[in-house]
């Protein structure tokens, strides 16, 4: 039990869980968040729930801690994103000269992106003999020691969506492989479903982005820090086709997370949540780290893996943690800093 009369500096390192959203290259923001968290001395990480890019960050962090402690995790995360950027050097998805001239990170006017976006609406990844090779598989196989992850101290919960049932499947750390991570990040318009033990899986964002439930039920820590890179609120009405599709994806990929936050808020408002799972949910303290920058970035920038872009997001993630710590450091272990009432206002 934490002594709520003491500051975090007096209480020593505090155990937290992390919930990491997916979002392609925007996951470099999460990399920056994790790097800064690993750097400060007042946080320890018990468990991580991750989806898509959040799953990649989670597994790389768990590998790094298992093999080299916190500094090993920081080095592993930087190595991973460096490899992602190098692998994308010769990708056809590059910013157009106009985007570069205007300083935009989007690929909206990239000929390859526009063509792929249109083709994805009429041609499936199974047609025309298209390959199911994902360059991330080579990176993950080369980098990660999955036995070390299984034996390491960090609990992992990686969500993928079972295509047959439509339900989310949560893989624990002893089940993690490169295929599990690729399944969690498998966008069905770009890649064939990933088969694991006879079941086909798509991106976990359809069923949980990320899933909070295992952090509540299987971890001792009562503080969850949500690293959110998919905007919940977006000003204005999308009116062109691309913006409408982007907003549809944001809404659908946030839906399950919002349901879990609503449940937590409702249980917290119950005078007596009873015992068991209901009590566990009502006791959770939620925190969120995010950035307004994500509202400004177009959906196509999630496929932009230029190092300058990734590094910019990384620095934004570090700044976000610093700002959070200055405002809420002493609330960790004591109070929620995410106002859950916002999630039940429209119920």
């Amino acid at each position: 039990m934490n002594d709520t009369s003491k500051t975090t500096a007096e209480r020593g390192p505090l155990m937290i869980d992390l919930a990491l959203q997916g979002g392609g290259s925007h996951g470099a923001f999460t990399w920056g968040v994790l790097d800064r968290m690993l750097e400060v001395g007042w946080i320890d990480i018990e468990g991580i729930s991750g989806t898509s890019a959040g799953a990649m960050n989670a597994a790389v962090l768990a590998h790094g801690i298992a093999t080299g402690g916190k500094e090993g995790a920081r080095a592993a995360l930087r190595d991973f994103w460096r490899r992602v950027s190098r692998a994308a050097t010769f990708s056809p998805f590059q910013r157009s000269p106009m985007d570069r001239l205007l300083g935009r990170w989007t690929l909206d006017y990239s000929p390859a992106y526009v063509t792929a976006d249109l083709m994805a609406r009429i041609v499936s990844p199974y047609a025309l003999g298209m390959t199911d090779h994902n360059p991330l598989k080579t990176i993950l196989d080369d980098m990660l020691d999955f036995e070390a992850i299984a034996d390491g101290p960090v609990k992992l919960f990686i969500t993928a969506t079972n295509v047959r049932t439509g339900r989310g499947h949560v893989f624990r750390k002893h089940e993690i492989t490169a295929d599990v991570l690729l399944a969690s990040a498998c966008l069905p318009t770009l890649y064939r479903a990933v088969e694991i033990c006879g079941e086909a899986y798509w991106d976990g964002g359809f069923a949980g982005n990320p899933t909070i439930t295992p952090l509540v039920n299987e971890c001792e820590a009562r503080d969850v820090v949500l690293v959110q890179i998919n905007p919940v609120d977006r000003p204005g009405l999308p009116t062109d086709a691309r913006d409408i599709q982007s907003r549809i994806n944001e809404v659908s990929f946030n839906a399950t997370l919002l349901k879990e936050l609503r449940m937590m808020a409702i249980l917290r408002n119950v005078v007596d949540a009873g015992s068991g799972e209901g009590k566990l949910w009502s006791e959770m303290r939620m925190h969120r780290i995010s950035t307004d920058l994500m509202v400004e970035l177009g959906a196509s920038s999630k496929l932009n893996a230029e190092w300058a872009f990734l590094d910019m997001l990384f620095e934004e993630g570090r700044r976000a943690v610093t700002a959070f710590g200055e405002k809420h450091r002493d609330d960790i272990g004591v109070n929620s800093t995410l106002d859950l009432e916002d999630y039940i206002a429209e119920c």
Side-chain angles (χ1 to χ4, degrees):
M1 179 71 70
N2 288 318
D3 184 347
T4 58
S5 66
K6 295 181 179 180
T7 66
T8 49
E10 295 169 325
R11 285 182 270 156
L14 298 172
M15 192 68 73
I16 66 167
D17 295 326
L18 295 171
L20 309 181
Q21 281 199 319
S25 296
H26 293 182
F29 170 79
T30 303
W31 161 36
V33 169
L34 298 177
D35 185 80
R36 181 64 180 139
M37 282 187 169
L38 292 165
E39 187 179 42
V40 302
W42 51 277
I43 289 175
D44 282 333
I45 300 167
E46 179 188 8
I48 311 176
S49 177
T51 297
S52 195
M56 307 290 174
N57 277 319
V60 173
L61 182 148
H63 158 86
I65 286 182
T67 57
K70 290 184 177 181
E71 287 305 310
R74 294 181 69 196
L77 284 162
R78 175 167 288 273
D79 183 28
F80 171 75
W81 285 99
R82 272 288 189 186
R83 291 179 185 231
V84 168
S85 182
R86 285 197 294 267
T89 300
F90 301 105
S91 166
F93 298 124
Q94 303 289 338
R95 285 189 294 163
S96 69
M98 181 62 70
D99 287 323
R100 294 175 187 274
L101 181 64
L102 296 176
R104 297 185 301 216
W105 295 111
T106 66
L107 304 179
D108 288 351
Y109 300 101
S110 162
Y113 175 79
V114 172
T115 300
D117 187 44
L118 291 173
M119 290 294 290
R121 301 171 194 274
I122 56 175
V123 179
S124 90
Y126 296 86
L128 305 177
M130 295 170 66
T131 178
D132 60 352
H133 173 70
N134 188 325
L136 282 174
K137 181 170 175 57
T138 301
I139 295 174
L140 295 170
D141 281 334
D142 286 349
M143 277 195 64
L144 300 185
D145 183 339
F146 293 102
E147 289 187 6
I149 290 174
D151 295 334
V154 178
K155 298 176 182 177
L156 277 187
F157 308 98
I158 305 301
T159 302
T161 303
N162 185 305
V163 180
R164 178 178 59 83
T165 66
R167 294 194 292 268
H169 182 94
V170 178
F171 295 88
R172 273 69 178 177
K173 66 178 182 177
H174 63 279
E175 302 172 297
I176 305 302
T177 63
D179 281 343
V180 166
L181 299 175
L182 293 175
S184 182
C186 179
L187 291 173
T189 57
L190 293 179
Y191 297 105
R192 299 180 185 185
V194 178
E195 291 196 10
I196 301 171
C197 298
E199 293 283 359
Y201 293 93
W202 282 342
D203 195 295
F206 296 113
N209 191 24
T211 304
I212 304 294
T213 301
L215 299 177
V216 176
N217 293 335
E218 301 179 39
C219 294
E220 295 297 321
R222 297 292 88 189
D223 288 82
V224 175
V225 178
L226 168 66
V227 183
Q228 193 161 26
I229 56 179
N230 281 317
V232 173
D233 298 315
R234 183 175 286 279
L237 176 68
T239 55
D240 69 43
R242 181 177 290 151
D243 289 343
I244 290 171
Q245 188 61 48
S246 175
R247 188 55 180 155
I248 288 171
N249 290 337
E250 286 178 347
V251 171
S252 62
F253 273 36
N254 279 326
T256 304
L257 170 66
L258 295 180
K259 286 181 180 179
E260 289 186 313
L261 293 177
R262 284 192 191 102
M263 179 171 67
M264 192 180 298
I266 291 169
L267 287 171
R268 184 172 294 171
N269 285 338
V270 175
V271 175
D272 181 7
S275 59
E277 187 172 344
K279 188 172 189 296
L280 289 176
W281 278 92
S282 69
E283 291 176 344
M284 297 304 293
R285 293 179 290 268
M286 287 296 304
H287 315 274
R288 178 175 60 195
I289 295 176
S290 59
T291 174
D292 292 338
L293 177 63
M294 294 306 175
V295 177
E296 302 171 15
L297 295 174
S300 64
S301 66
K302 293 179 181 181
L303 293 177
N304 183 352
E306 294 175 57
W307 180 250
F309 181 52
L310 301 181
D311 188 56
M312 181 273 291
L313 290 171
F314 166 78
E315 293 296 341
E316 182 68 15
R318 285 181 55 84
R319 282 193 293 270
V321 174
T322 299
F324 177 86
E326 290 172 352
K327 187 174 183 180
H328 296 302
R329 175 172 171 172
D330 291 333
D331 289 308
I332 301 291
V334 180
N335 303 303
S336 283
T337 58
L338 178 60
D339 187 358
L340 296 177
E341 295 300 318
D342 290 344
Y343 296 97
I344 61 175
E346 296 184 18
C347 289

